[in-house]
Amino acid sequence: MENFRNLLTIFFFFSLSLLYTCLFPCVDSISTVGFHDQLRQHAGSRTVALRTKPEKYLRLRVGAPFKIALFADLHFGEDAWTDWGPRQDVNSIRVMSNVLSYETPVANASLYWDLAISPTRARGIPWATVFGNHDDAAFEWPMEWFSPPGIPRLRCPVSNSSCLGEEECSFRGTSRLDLIKNEIKHNELSHSRNGPKELWPSVSNYVLNLTSPEDTNSPVVFLYFLDSGGGSYPQVISSAQAEWFNSTTRMINPDSRVPEIIFWHIPSTAYKKVAPVFGIHKPCVGSINRERVAAQEAETGIMKLLVERPSVKAVFVGHNHGLDWCCPYKQLWLCFARHTGYGGYGGWPRGARILEITQKPFSLRSWIRMEDGRVHSEVVLTP
């Protein structure tokens, strides 16, 4: 277990594609250890504690780097009514399990969520999530369920529906808020947050603080998570989210002394400006560049804030399965993860982006770890 204490898994681009769930009465029951007084009072921000005994702190170990594994575009629950869909879920779990093994020496939407987090949970590795563009999609009725007269046959297995009685079934989409509250309530290792209420329906907006091994009140890096929309609302990081980020950074990191790393799912329009053409050439680093950037619908100010903060080192996104590059943009880096799940489009080999953080001096290094163990596209993202 000791070797996992400096690894955080980020399911920050979940992209579940089919959501129908038994809903639970959920409350935010997470208790917090080691807050700064300011952080404790600020909605959506949190100094995280790794849920391992006896310390219960998420912090660097002396002399050891801190790793983050990014699992992107998992697409759990696709074609759940066929043989193909469940096989892809099994394959996706295998990718995550293999990546975690190489990087460490040692019923419903909630059902699929539980399957997706099972490789990291089984190893005692904490995680955090940020939503993607499929995560609160409406239930999609498959055409093959319909009989010739046009009346759907009743198929309501307990694991695939919201069941109110033996013969009463309700198929419905699951909201972002229901999903993340359920995750928080039932998973001690989860460090996800449902964010400030004034930003809803944008949900996964929060900040985690990785602390020094000597002092839990001494931050090493702030990890920001932003909900880039999709599903039930536009694919955009709103001006309200940008203002939340601005006010949070001014309060907890006013002099930009502490490095900041940003995660969201759908790339901003800035990614189009730096996208490589005809292959990947320096200063960009990566291995696949097989499609155009599918960017957010609009830019409402978040990128302007990021480029004005010297503390922001990099932004990490998913969404485009055929892209895995990192390119510099002004003083920061814009990076894609690697397509992890076997669902969704594209037949490119699966893998995950790994980040490695060291404290003294601070450095951020990244590479791609493939399902078969190969490593490529290593890049240092700090000067």
Side-chain angles (χ1 to χ4, degrees), residues 11-14 128-132 135 204 206 225-227 263-264:
F11 300 103
F12 68 108
F13 332 114
F14 236 100
T129 60
V130 67
F131 285 117
D135 294 318
S204 51
Y206 57 101
F225 299 78
L226 293 168
D227 188 338
F263 304 95
W264 64 66

Side-chain angles (χ1 to χ4, degrees), residues 274-287 289 325-328 333:
V274 301
V277 180
F278 303 119
I280 300 174
H281 310 285
K282 292 184 177 179
C284 298
V285 178
S287 68
N289 185 33
W325 47 258
C326 285
C327 290
W333 284 79

